[in-house]
Amino acid sequence: MPTAQRAPAALLVRRGGDKLLFDCAEGTQRQLLRSSVGLLELEEVFVTHFHADHVLGLPGMFKTFALRGRELPLRVYGPRGLVDLLGSLKRVVGKLTYDLQLVEVEPGDVLDRDGYRLATFGVAHGVSALGWSLIEATRPGRFDVAAADTLGVPSGPERGALQRGEHVVLPDGRTVKPEDVLGPPRPGRKLVITGDTAPSVEIVEAAWGADVLVTEATFAEEERDRAEETNHQTATQAAEVAQRANVGLLVLTHLSNRYFGPEIAEEARAIFPETIVPRDFDVVEVPYAERGTPHLVKGGASRRREQEVVSSAPQ
Amino acid sequence: MPTAQRAPAALLVRRGGDKLLFDCAEGTQRQLLRSSVGLLELEEVFVTHFHADHVLGLPGMFKTFALRGRELPLRVYGPRGLVDLLGSLKRVVGKLTYDLQLVEVEPGDVLDRDGYRLATFGVAHGVSALGWSLIEATRPGRFDVAAADTLGVPSGPERGALQRGEHVVLPDGRTVKPEDVLGPPRPGRKLVITGDTAPSVEIVEAAWGADVLVTEATFAEEERDRAEETNHQTATQAAEVAQRANVGLLVLTHLSNRYFGPEIAEEARAIFPETIVPRDFDVVEVPYAERGTPHLVKGGASRRREQEVVSSAPQ
């Protein structure tokens, strides 16, 4: 349930120009309005499961888009039951100005996107539920300018072709292959979002080597029994999953309202030190591996922070 | 639709120990948590109509009460269609720990309460919709201690009986009547809440002489046509209703997201000077007539204000 400090589940992923919303609890549209991001004209929303604290923001957001006269279609992906659920909410929302497309997916389904794919996996929450992995394509290796110069590759379209992985024939008849001028292929990033779940071997497999694993820690270890009864996990269990999956950064969400955050982080860090428990409007930046490691930007999406940044600029 | 500054419709009325919530838009439970009031164990919720921006906070609030293990029944009153609407939301909410009672009422129905009644009236919003009036019973006149002394009424239960409107026979056989020691009966307070509506003569009648009329000014007069098309009203029209109904204070809500508040207040005040446009967490205090007039307490229910009050106390 929400607290004065924390809204229920919603996570916005921005990658290049793409904005992907994972879960949409009550109040999400207004949290976006209150953030520096704004209520974007989202094109795709991904639902992990249909418990009230993950979906009750959908009908109001649908309605607001309609009041703004939206014409762009909106696609919502979720596990089995999506069509049934949103059908029952339709009469509250009324007529929309745009096409609302509902897509049910099964664990193991993959959605291909430009430069990445979204893979789903089963989680253990006792209901129809999915985890989502954003897995980027492997990127070509770094272009070695000195090697290209030495080989006599002219500055121009030939270098672009090599970077795209094509062979190039030079005026003197020699063939230059991409591997002659490119470093080793560079891995893409991998972000895994489980939604609500008990710990499971499927999650360890799905999250293997992820740069970032966003999972739940509804309880601390003192409430282990309650976590098991309700198909949730403790901070300790989440940390064990992160450790076994060898992830870069563990991001814990979905805390019970009796926890404030630091106690959950402390419990998890005893097992997996690279753990954070973000607050609302915090941002996690996930750079390419050669540029740094995933890290928290406190209040990175808060309007107030932007104002503070402005007001602390030289007068 | 909501804005960064304004949540959609919800209005809490506190009278003595009673807490009555009128409408419950998306995010209401969290607005209460964020206020100095808290998310009270409300017993009764009153709905004006079923547009999304007035009801989408209900399922989440129902669910939170269940997660808290509530056992006290919760009654929701609304116009025709209430059972049908909340039935379709039930599957999102799941099983509750308490009895949820849905009561459909017709315009003209009256609910009797201790010391007041809640009367409903029809409004003009193009759908099944109700306004609500809270009308207090007339209070006995002020007890005239000097008159009682002169008449020889002993200090004790006899004076209480006279205040309750009973006749009292003194030891010497004389009968003292309530009107001998009480001033003229004092009117109770009257608060009228219309929800969304176009201006109508029914509202003028229902709001006649109210201490406070809470009504909508979705638009300014420049958008009069749009107000008419959508069964809303302009600030000017709301002020005309208030003037014709001779109310004490006009409280305007439900502004379109293109308005900030001051421009709506200014337009209305040109016709009806006693107009306010509260912001979220503002409080309107409605004293008994002999103790003052209804007035705005800015941020009266905001947590921050309470902190400010504490921190501005003498060190």
Side-chain angles (χ1 to χ4, degrees), chain B residues 6 194 212-220 233-242 249-255 261-269 272 274-280 282 284 296:
Chain B
R6 286 198 304 265
T194 69
V212 174
L213 168 62
V214 183
T215 191
E216 66 131 294
T218 307
F219 300 107
Q233 64 190 1
T234 68
T236 294
Q237 291 176 308
E240 287 166 351
V241 167
L249 180 69
L250 172 63
V251 178
L252 296 179
T253 63
H254 202 267
L255 278 55
E263 72 284 55
I264 292 292
E266 193 183 356
E267 180 179 307
R269 283 178 190 145
F272 192 80
E274 295 303 318
T275 301
I276 58 172
V277 181
R279 295 167 64 99
D280 289 10
D282 281 352
V284 177
L296 180 71

mmCIF file of all heavy atoms in Angstrom, chain B residues 6 194 212-220 233-242 249-255 261-269 272 274-280 282 284 296:
data_model
loop_
_atom_site.group_PDB
_atom_site.id
_atom_site.type_symbol
_atom_site.label_atom_id
_atom_site.label_comp_id
_atom_site.label_asym_id
_atom_site.label_seq_id
_atom_site.Cartn_x
_atom_site.Cartn_y
_atom_site.Cartn_z
ATOM 1 N N ARG B 6 -2.342 19.832 -8.797
ATOM 2 C CA ARG B 6 -3.699 19.513 -8.340
ATOM 3 C C ARG B 6 -4.064 18.057 -8.583
ATOM 4 O O ARG B 6 -3.981 17.554 -9.703
ATOM 5 C CB ARG B 6 -4.734 20.369 -9.087
ATOM 6 C CG ARG B 6 -4.785 21.812 -8.647
ATOM 7 C CD ARG B 6 -6.092 22.467 -9.095
ATOM 8 N NE ARG B 6 -6.314 22.390 -10.518
ATOM 9 C CZ ARG B 6 -5.984 23.358 -11.391
ATOM 10 N NH1 ARG B 6 -5.388 24.461 -10.973
ATOM 11 N NH2 ARG B 6 -6.244 23.212 -12.666
ATOM 12 N N THR B 194 -21.956 20.252 -5.003
ATOM 13 C CA THR B 194 -22.710 19.888 -6.213
ATOM 14 C C THR B 194 -22.048 18.792 -7.035
ATOM 15 O O THR B 194 -22.720 18.139 -7.829
ATOM 16 C CB THR B 194 -22.894 21.092 -7.151
ATOM 17 O OG1 THR B 194 -21.626 21.442 -7.713
ATOM 18 C CG2 THR B 194 -23.501 22.274 -6.417
ATOM 19 N N VAL B 212 -21.856 27.493 2.997
ATOM 20 C CA VAL B 212 -20.812 27.246 1.999
ATOM 21 C C VAL B 212 -21.396 26.453 0.840
ATOM 22 O O VAL B 212 -22.063 25.432 1.053
ATOM 23 C CB VAL B 212 -19.629 26.450 2.611
ATOM 24 C CG1 VAL B 212 -18.614 26.073 1.535
ATOM 25 C CG2 VAL B 212 -18.959 27.261 3.715
ATOM 26 N N LEU B 213 -21.122 26.912 -0.362
ATOM 27 C CA LEU B 213 -21.453 26.159 -1.578
ATOM 28 C C LEU B 213 -20.144 25.766 -2.252
ATOM 29 O O LEU B 213 -19.357 26.635 -2.650
ATOM 30 C CB LEU B 213 -22.290 27.028 -2.530
ATOM 31 C CG LEU B 213 -22.464 26.472 -3.961
ATOM 32 C CD1 LEU B 213 -23.207 25.137 -3.965
ATOM 33 C CD2 LEU B 213 -23.185 27.496 -4.853
ATOM 34 N N VAL B 214 -19.904 24.467 -2.336
ATOM 35 C CA VAL B 214 -18.745 23.966 -3.070
ATOM 36 C C VAL B 214 -19.247 23.517 -4.433
ATOM 37 O O VAL B 214 -20.027 22.571 -4.527
ATOM 38 C CB VAL B 214 -18.081 22.773 -2.355
ATOM 39 C CG1 VAL B 214 -16.841 22.323 -3.118
ATOM 40 C CG2 VAL B 214 -17.745 23.131 -0.914
ATOM 41 N N THR B 215 -18.829 24.201 -5.466
ATOM 42 C CA THR B 215 -19.274 23.800 -6.790
ATOM 43 C C THR B 215 -18.110 23.889 -7.761
ATOM 44 O O THR B 215 -16.988 24.216 -7.382
ATOM 45 C CB THR B 215 -20.502 24.617 -7.246
ATOM 46 O OG1 THR B 215 -21.054 24.027 -8.433
ATOM 47 C CG2 THR B 215 -20.133 26.066 -7.513
ATOM 48 N N GLU B 216 -18.370 23.573 -8.983
ATOM 49 C CA GLU B 216 -17.289 23.485 -9.960
ATOM 50 C C GLU B 216 -17.221 24.737 -10.818
ATOM 51 O O GLU B 216 -18.218 25.406 -11.064
ATOM 52 C CB GLU B 216 -17.525 22.285 -10.863
ATOM 53 C CG GLU B 216 -18.778 22.440 -11.726
ATOM 54 C CD GLU B 216 -18.500 22.125 -13.187
ATOM 55 O OE1 GLU B 216 -17.729 22.887 -13.822
ATOM 56 O OE2 GLU B 216 -19.042 21.111 -13.677
ATOM 57 N N ALA B 217 -16.004 25.076 -11.231
ATOM 58 C CA ALA B 217 -15.805 26.102 -12.261
ATOM 59 C C ALA B 217 -14.726 25.519 -13.172
ATOM 60 O O ALA B 217 -13.556 25.871 -13.092
ATOM 61 C CB ALA B 217 -15.362 27.417 -11.647
ATOM 62 N N THR B 218 -15.155 24.600 -14.010
ATOM 63 C CA THR B 218 -14.183 23.918 -14.868
ATOM 64 C C THR B 218 -13.523 24.900 -15.828
ATOM 65 O O THR B 218 -12.343 24.763 -16.158
ATOM 66 C CB THR B 218 -14.877 22.782 -15.655
ATOM 67 O OG1 THR B 218 -15.571 21.937 -14.737
ATOM 68 C CG2 THR B 218 -13.871 21.958 -16.432
ATOM 69 N N PHE B 219 -14.300 25.910 -16.235
ATOM 70 C CA PHE B 219 -13.798 26.846 -17.250
ATOM 71 C C PHE B 219 -13.959 28.297 -16.802
ATOM 72 O O PHE B 219 -14.698 28.596 -15.870
ATOM 73 C CB PHE B 219 -14.572 26.649 -18.558
ATOM 74 C CG PHE B 219 -14.452 25.253 -19.127
ATOM 75 C CD1 PHE B 219 -15.514 24.364 -19.064
ATOM 76 C CD2 PHE B 219 -13.264 24.829 -19.718
ATOM 77 C CE1 PHE B 219 -15.412 23.074 -19.586
ATOM 78 C CE2 PHE B 219 -13.153 23.537 -20.238
ATOM 79 C CZ PHE B 219 -14.221 22.671 -20.175
ATOM 80 N N ALA B 220 -13.262 29.189 -17.506
ATOM 81 C CA ALA B 220 -13.537 30.623 -17.408
ATOM 82 C C ALA B 220 -14.575 30.972 -18.485
ATOM 83 O O ALA B 220 -14.877 30.151 -19.367
ATOM 84 C CB ALA B 220 -12.252 31.417 -17.610
ATOM 85 N N GLN B 233 -19.643 24.282 -15.846
ATOM 86 C CA GLN B 233 -19.994 25.703 -15.785
ATOM 87 C C GLN B 233 -18.742 26.563 -15.692
ATOM 88 O O GLN B 233 -17.650 26.080 -15.372
ATOM 89 C CB GLN B 233 -20.972 26.011 -14.643
ATOM 90 C CG GLN B 233 -20.450 25.756 -13.245
ATOM 91 C CD GLN B 233 -21.549 25.854 -12.176
ATOM 92 O OE1 GLN B 233 -22.721 26.091 -12.478
ATOM 93 N NE2 GLN B 233 -21.173 25.660 -10.927
ATOM 94 N N THR B 234 -18.906 27.826 -16.003
ATOM 95 C CA THR B 234 -17.800 28.776 -15.922
ATOM 96 C C THR B 234 -17.793 29.410 -14.535
ATOM 97 O O THR B 234 -18.779 29.324 -13.787
ATOM 98 C CB THR B 234 -17.948 29.881 -16.972
ATOM 99 O OG1 THR B 234 -19.086 30.688 -16.637
ATOM 100 C CG2 THR B 234 -18.130 29.306 -18.378
ATOM 101 N N ALA B 235 -16.693 30.080 -14.215
ATOM 102 C CA ALA B 235 -16.589 30.780 -12.935
ATOM 103 C C ALA B 235 -17.718 31.804 -12.812
ATOM 104 O O ALA B 235 -18.313 31.966 -11.737
ATOM 105 C CB ALA B 235 -15.223 31.457 -12.836
ATOM 106 N N THR B 236 -18.024 32.488 -13.899
ATOM 107 C CA THR B 236 -19.107 33.477 -13.890
ATOM 108 C C THR B 236 -20.442 32.817 -13.564
ATOM 109 O O THR B 236 -21.211 33.306 -12.731
ATOM 110 C CB THR B 236 -19.176 34.169 -15.269
ATOM 111 O OG1 THR B 236 -17.983 34.933 -15.438
ATOM 112 C CG2 THR B 236 -20.403 35.065 -15.378
ATOM 113 N N GLN B 237 -20.699 31.706 -14.222
ATOM 114 C CA GLN B 237 -21.976 31.012 -13.984
ATOM 115 C C GLN B 237 -22.073 30.508 -12.544
ATOM 116 O O GLN B 237 -23.132 30.598 -11.913
ATOM 117 C CB GLN B 237 -22.126 29.844 -14.962
ATOM 118 C CG GLN B 237 -22.338 30.303 -16.403
ATOM 119 C CD GLN B 237 -22.386 29.131 -17.370
ATOM 120 O OE1 GLN B 237 -21.493 28.281 -17.391
ATOM 121 N NE2 GLN B 237 -23.429 29.075 -18.177
ATOM 122 N N ALA B 238 -20.964 29.987 -12.021
ATOM 123 C CA ALA B 238 -20.966 29.516 -10.635
ATOM 124 C C ALA B 238 -21.247 30.675 -9.680
ATOM 125 O O ALA B 238 -22.003 30.540 -8.711
ATOM 126 C CB ALA B 238 -19.621 28.860 -10.308
ATOM 127 N N ALA B 239 -20.646 31.832 -9.980
ATOM 128 C CA ALA B 239 -20.847 33.009 -9.124
ATOM 129 C C ALA B 239 -22.299 33.486 -9.190
ATOM 130 O O ALA B 239 -22.864 33.925 -8.185
ATOM 131 C CB ALA B 239 -19.894 34.126 -9.554
ATOM 132 N N GLU B 240 -22.908 33.383 -10.357
ATOM 133 C CA GLU B 240 -24.315 33.764 -10.484
ATOM 134 C C GLU B 240 -25.205 32.838 -9.658
ATOM 135 O O GLU B 240 -26.161 33.284 -9.014
ATOM 136 C CB GLU B 240 -24.730 33.743 -11.960
ATOM 137 C CG GLU B 240 -24.138 34.916 -12.742
ATOM 138 C CD GLU B 240 -24.239 34.755 -14.267
ATOM 139 O OE1 GLU B 240 -24.615 33.653 -14.735
ATOM 140 O OE2 GLU B 240 -23.921 35.724 -14.969
ATOM 141 N N VAL B 241 -24.895 31.556 -9.674
ATOM 142 C CA VAL B 241 -25.647 30.604 -8.849
ATOM 143 C C VAL B 241 -25.513 30.975 -7.373
ATOM 144 O O VAL B 241 -26.497 31.032 -6.626
ATOM 145 C CB VAL B 241 -25.162 29.157 -9.096
ATOM 146 C CG1 VAL B 241 -25.703 28.200 -8.027
ATOM 147 C CG2 VAL B 241 -25.566 28.688 -10.489
ATOM 148 N N ALA B 242 -24.278 31.257 -6.948
ATOM 149 C CA ALA B 242 -24.024 31.595 -5.546
ATOM 150 C C ALA B 242 -24.788 32.856 -5.138
ATOM 151 O O ALA B 242 -25.346 32.945 -4.039
ATOM 152 C CB ALA B 242 -22.530 31.791 -5.321
ATOM 153 N N LEU B 249 -20.333 31.612 1.419
ATOM 154 C CA LEU B 249 -19.023 31.502 0.785
ATOM 155 C C LEU B 249 -19.127 30.551 -0.402
ATOM 156 O O LEU B 249 -19.716 29.470 -0.287
ATOM 157 C CB LEU B 249 -17.993 30.963 1.784
ATOM 158 C CG LEU B 249 -16.562 30.800 1.261
ATOM 159 C CD1 LEU B 249 -15.916 32.161 0.997
ATOM 160 C CD2 LEU B 249 -15.704 30.007 2.261
ATOM 161 N N LEU B 250 -18.552 30.965 -1.505
ATOM 162 C CA LEU B 250 -18.512 30.122 -2.708
ATOM 163 C C LEU B 250 -17.113 29.521 -2.825
ATOM 164 O O LEU B 250 -16.115 30.245 -2.833
ATOM 165 C CB LEU B 250 -18.833 30.962 -3.945
ATOM 166 C CG LEU B 250 -18.654 30.268 -5.300
ATOM 167 C CD1 LEU B 250 -19.608 29.083 -5.449
ATOM 168 C CD2 LEU B 250 -18.857 31.269 -6.447
ATOM 169 N N VAL B 251 -17.053 28.207 -2.918
ATOM 170 C CA VAL B 251 -15.778 27.499 -3.024
ATOM 171 C C VAL B 251 -15.742 26.814 -4.386
ATOM 172 O O VAL B 251 -16.560 25.937 -4.654
ATOM 173 C CB VAL B 251 -15.636 26.463 -1.891
ATOM 174 C CG1 VAL B 251 -14.324 25.710 -2.037
ATOM 175 C CG2 VAL B 251 -15.743 27.139 -0.535
ATOM 176 N N LEU B 252 -14.799 27.212 -5.216
ATOM 177 C CA LEU B 252 -14.749 26.677 -6.584
ATOM 178 C C LEU B 252 -13.672 25.608 -6.714
ATOM 179 O O LEU B 252 -12.533 25.795 -6.277
ATOM 180 C CB LEU B 252 -14.504 27.812 -7.579
ATOM 181 C CG LEU B 252 -15.642 28.833 -7.629
ATOM 182 C CD1 LEU B 252 -15.321 29.955 -8.612
ATOM 183 C CD2 LEU B 252 -16.957 28.155 -7.998
ATOM 184 N N THR B 253 -14.052 24.519 -7.348
ATOM 185 C CA THR B 253 -13.128 23.393 -7.542
ATOM 186 C C THR B 253 -13.232 22.913 -8.986
ATOM 187 O O THR B 253 -13.933 23.490 -9.787
ATOM 188 C CB THR B 253 -13.483 22.222 -6.598
ATOM 189 O OG1 THR B 253 -14.786 21.754 -6.929
ATOM 190 C CG2 THR B 253 -13.453 22.639 -5.152
ATOM 191 N N HIS B 254 -12.498 21.809 -9.273
ATOM 192 C CA HIS B 254 -12.620 21.114 -10.557
ATOM 193 C C HIS B 254 -12.243 21.998 -11.744
ATOM 194 O O HIS B 254 -12.876 21.990 -12.793
ATOM 195 C CB HIS B 254 -14.062 20.598 -10.733
ATOM 196 C CG HIS B 254 -14.161 19.465 -11.727
ATOM 197 N ND1 HIS B 254 -14.442 19.680 -13.056
ATOM 198 C CD2 HIS B 254 -14.013 18.136 -11.580
ATOM 199 C CE1 HIS B 254 -14.474 18.510 -13.678
ATOM 200 N NE2 HIS B 254 -14.207 17.558 -12.816
ATOM 201 N N LEU B 255 -11.135 22.728 -11.598
ATOM 202 C CA LEU B 255 -10.665 23.589 -12.689
ATOM 203 C C LEU B 255 -10.036 22.756 -13.807
ATOM 204 O O LEU B 255 -9.325 21.786 -13.531
ATOM 205 C CB LEU B 255 -9.595 24.556 -12.164
ATOM 206 C CG LEU B 255 -10.066 25.822 -11.457
ATOM 207 C CD1 LEU B 255 -11.009 25.519 -10.302
ATOM 208 C CD2 LEU B 255 -8.869 26.625 -10.976
ATOM 209 N N GLY B 261 -6.047 29.029 -10.983
ATOM 210 C CA GLY B 261 -6.816 29.331 -9.766
ATOM 211 C C GLY B 261 -7.130 30.809 -9.636
ATOM 212 O O GLY B 261 -8.295 31.193 -9.599
ATOM 213 N N PRO B 262 -6.092 31.655 -9.566
ATOM 214 C CA PRO B 262 -6.362 33.086 -9.360
ATOM 215 C C PRO B 262 -7.256 33.700 -10.444
ATOM 216 O O PRO B 262 -8.110 34.548 -10.138
ATOM 217 C CB PRO B 262 -4.959 33.710 -9.379
ATOM 218 C CG PRO B 262 -4.065 32.600 -8.915
ATOM 219 C CD PRO B 262 -4.666 31.338 -9.473
ATOM 220 N N GLU B 263 -7.105 33.272 -11.697
ATOM 221 C CA GLU B 263 -7.935 33.867 -12.762
ATOM 222 C C GLU B 263 -9.388 33.447 -12.632
ATOM 223 O O GLU B 263 -10.300 34.213 -12.941
ATOM 224 C CB GLU B 263 -7.362 33.536 -14.148
ATOM 225 C CG GLU B 263 -7.495 32.106 -14.653
ATOM 226 C CD GLU B 263 -6.535 31.119 -14.018
ATOM 227 O OE1 GLU B 263 -6.531 31.039 -12.779
ATOM 228 O OE2 GLU B 263 -5.821 30.397 -14.746
ATOM 229 N N ILE B 264 -9.609 32.247 -12.136
ATOM 230 C CA ILE B 264 -10.978 31.758 -11.896
ATOM 231 C C ILE B 264 -11.598 32.515 -10.719
ATOM 232 O O ILE B 264 -12.757 32.949 -10.774
ATOM 233 C CB ILE B 264 -10.945 30.230 -11.628
ATOM 234 C CG1 ILE B 264 -10.532 29.467 -12.915
ATOM 235 C CG2 ILE B 264 -12.270 29.719 -11.076
ATOM 236 C CD1 ILE B 264 -11.547 29.506 -14.036
ATOM 237 N N ALA B 265 -10.811 32.690 -9.661
ATOM 238 C CA ALA B 265 -11.313 33.431 -8.492
ATOM 239 C C ALA B 265 -11.654 34.865 -8.876
ATOM 240 O O ALA B 265 -12.709 35.393 -8.496
ATOM 241 C CB ALA B 265 -10.265 33.411 -7.377
ATOM 242 N N GLU B 266 -10.786 35.485 -9.655
ATOM 243 C CA GLU B 266 -10.998 36.885 -10.038
ATOM 244 C C GLU B 266 -12.291 37.022 -10.846
ATOM 245 O O GLU B 266 -13.089 37.937 -10.610
ATOM 246 C CB GLU B 266 -9.803 37.367 -10.870
ATOM 247 C CG GLU B 266 -9.768 38.869 -11.061
ATOM 248 C CD GLU B 266 -8.602 39.298 -11.969
ATOM 249 O OE1 GLU B 266 -7.807 38.424 -12.373
ATOM 250 O OE2 GLU B 266 -8.518 40.495 -12.275
ATOM 251 N N GLU B 267 -12.473 36.119 -11.795
ATOM 252 C CA GLU B 267 -13.698 36.194 -12.620
ATOM 253 C C GLU B 267 -14.951 36.049 -11.755
ATOM 254 O O GLU B 267 -15.909 36.806 -11.912
ATOM 255 C CB GLU B 267 -13.674 35.093 -13.701
ATOM 256 C CG GLU B 267 -14.905 35.121 -14.596
ATOM 257 C CD GLU B 267 -14.864 34.040 -15.680
ATOM 258 O OE1 GLU B 267 -13.850 33.976 -16.413
ATOM 259 O OE2 GLU B 267 -15.843 33.274 -15.778
ATOM 260 N N ALA B 268 -14.925 35.096 -10.839
ATOM 261 C CA ALA B 268 -16.114 34.873 -10.001
ATOM 262 C C ALA B 268 -16.354 36.047 -9.059
ATOM 263 O O ALA B 268 -17.495 36.464 -8.845
ATOM 264 C CB ALA B 268 -15.953 33.571 -9.216
ATOM 265 N N ARG B 269 -15.273 36.591 -8.502
ATOM 266 C CA ARG B 269 -15.418 37.664 -7.500
ATOM 267 C C ARG B 269 -16.014 38.943 -8.076
ATOM 268 O O ARG B 269 -16.555 39.758 -7.343
ATOM 269 C CB ARG B 269 -14.062 37.978 -6.865
ATOM 270 C CG ARG B 269 -13.654 36.949 -5.853
ATOM 271 C CD ARG B 269 -12.282 37.229 -5.261
ATOM 272 N NE ARG B 269 -11.839 36.084 -4.467
ATOM 273 C CZ ARG B 269 -10.579 35.671 -4.373
ATOM 274 N NH1 ARG B 269 -9.617 36.330 -5.016
ATOM 275 N NH2 ARG B 269 -10.279 34.632 -3.647
ATOM 276 N N PHE B 272 -19.502 37.674 -7.413
ATOM 277 C CA PHE B 272 -19.753 37.207 -6.046
ATOM 278 C C PHE B 272 -18.438 37.289 -5.266
ATOM 279 O O PHE B 272 -17.604 36.371 -5.334
ATOM 280 C CB PHE B 272 -20.303 35.770 -6.071
ATOM 281 C CG PHE B 272 -20.845 35.340 -4.745
ATOM 282 C CD1 PHE B 272 -22.121 35.737 -4.336
ATOM 283 C CD2 PHE B 272 -20.089 34.561 -3.882
ATOM 284 C CE1 PHE B 272 -22.624 35.360 -3.100
ATOM 285 C CE2 PHE B 272 -20.576 34.192 -2.642
ATOM 286 C CZ PHE B 272 -21.845 34.585 -2.255
ATOM 287 N N GLU B 274 -17.410 36.894 -2.276
ATOM 288 C CA GLU B 274 -17.011 35.898 -1.265
ATOM 289 C C GLU B 274 -16.730 34.553 -1.929
ATOM 290 O O GLU B 274 -17.434 33.572 -1.723
ATOM 291 C CB GLU B 274 -18.088 35.762 -0.188
ATOM 292 C CG GLU B 274 -18.289 37.012 0.639
ATOM 293 C CD GLU B 274 -17.002 37.456 1.323
ATOM 294 O OE1 GLU B 274 -16.281 36.583 1.846
ATOM 295 O OE2 GLU B 274 -16.689 38.654 1.288
ATOM 296 N N THR B 275 -15.699 34.544 -2.760
ATOM 297 C CA THR B 275 -15.339 33.352 -3.515
ATOM 298 C C THR B 275 -13.900 32.966 -3.223
ATOM 299 O O THR B 275 -13.030 33.836 -3.175
ATOM 300 C CB THR B 275 -15.468 33.615 -5.032
ATOM 301 O OG1 THR B 275 -16.802 33.999 -5.330
ATOM 302 C CG2 THR B 275 -15.095 32.376 -5.844
ATOM 303 N N ILE B 276 -13.663 31.670 -3.058
ATOM 304 C CA ILE B 276 -12.289 31.187 -2.942
ATOM 305 C C ILE B 276 -12.094 29.999 -3.883
ATOM 306 O O ILE B 276 -13.047 29.304 -4.233
ATOM 307 C CB ILE B 276 -11.912 30.779 -1.502
ATOM 308 C CG1 ILE B 276 -12.869 29.695 -0.984
ATOM 309 C CG2 ILE B 276 -11.916 31.989 -0.579
ATOM 310 C CD1 ILE B 276 -12.452 29.114 0.352
ATOM 311 N N VAL B 277 -10.841 29.799 -4.284
ATOM 312 C CA VAL B 277 -10.463 28.640 -5.092
ATOM 313 C C VAL B 277 -9.350 27.927 -4.321
ATOM 314 O O VAL B 277 -8.181 28.277 -4.450
ATOM 315 C CB VAL B 277 -9.967 29.065 -6.491
ATOM 316 C CG1 VAL B 277 -9.597 27.835 -7.321
ATOM 317 C CG2 VAL B 277 -11.030 29.893 -7.211
ATOM 318 N N PRO B 278 -9.713 26.971 -3.499
ATOM 319 C CA PRO B 278 -8.687 26.335 -2.645
ATOM 320 C C PRO B 278 -7.673 25.554 -3.463
ATOM 321 O O PRO B 278 -7.959 25.096 -4.571
ATOM 322 C CB PRO B 278 -9.493 25.378 -1.762
ATOM 323 C CG PRO B 278 -10.924 25.737 -1.955
ATOM 324 C CD PRO B 278 -11.023 26.368 -3.308
ATOM 325 N N ARG B 279 -6.504 25.392 -2.900
ATOM 326 C CA ARG B 279 -5.487 24.492 -3.445
ATOM 327 C C ARG B 279 -5.546 23.179 -2.665
ATOM 328 O O ARG B 279 -6.150 23.113 -1.595
ATOM 329 C CB ARG B 279 -4.098 25.128 -3.286
ATOM 330 C CG ARG B 279 -3.931 26.393 -4.104
ATOM 331 C CD ARG B 279 -2.681 27.142 -3.671
ATOM 332 N NE ARG B 279 -1.494 26.362 -3.937
ATOM 333 C CZ ARG B 279 -0.706 26.518 -4.997
ATOM 334 N NH1 ARG B 279 -0.968 27.466 -5.883
ATOM 335 N NH2 ARG B 279 0.348 25.759 -5.175
ATOM 336 N N ASP B 280 -4.914 22.157 -3.193
ATOM 337 C CA ASP B 280 -4.881 20.877 -2.483
ATOM 338 C C ASP B 280 -4.357 21.096 -1.052
ATOM 339 O O ASP B 280 -3.386 21.833 -0.853
ATOM 340 C CB ASP B 280 -3.959 19.877 -3.195
ATOM 341 C CG ASP B 280 -4.568 19.390 -4.514
ATOM 342 O OD1 ASP B 280 -5.584 19.962 -4.953
ATOM 343 O OD2 ASP B 280 -4.011 18.449 -5.102
ATOM 344 N N ASP B 282 -5.732 22.684 1.293
ATOM 345 C CA ASP B 282 -6.368 23.808 1.981
ATOM 346 C C ASP B 282 -7.576 23.302 2.766
ATOM 347 O O ASP B 282 -8.165 22.276 2.439
ATOM 348 C CB ASP B 282 -6.843 24.866 0.973
ATOM 349 C CG ASP B 282 -5.700 25.751 0.473
ATOM 350 O OD1 ASP B 282 -4.580 25.640 1.015
ATOM 351 O OD2 ASP B 282 -5.944 26.546 -0.450
ATOM 352 N N VAL B 284 -11.336 24.658 4.573
ATOM 353 C CA VAL B 284 -12.326 25.719 4.777
ATOM 354 C C VAL B 284 -12.990 25.461 6.122
ATOM 355 O O VAL B 284 -13.583 24.398 6.334
ATOM 356 C CB VAL B 284 -13.392 25.733 3.653
ATOM 357 C CG1 VAL B 284 -14.440 26.797 3.937
ATOM 358 C CG2 VAL B 284 -12.727 25.969 2.302
ATOM 359 N N LEU B 296 -11.056 30.413 4.529
ATOM 360 C CA LEU B 296 -10.015 29.522 4.035
ATOM 361 C C LEU B 296 -8.835 29.478 4.997
ATOM 362 O O LEU B 296 -8.399 30.507 5.495
ATOM 363 C CB LEU B 296 -9.540 30.052 2.675
ATOM 364 C CG LEU B 296 -8.433 29.276 1.962
ATOM 365 C CD1 LEU B 296 -8.965 27.950 1.436
ATOM 366 C CD2 LEU B 296 -7.889 30.109 0.801
#
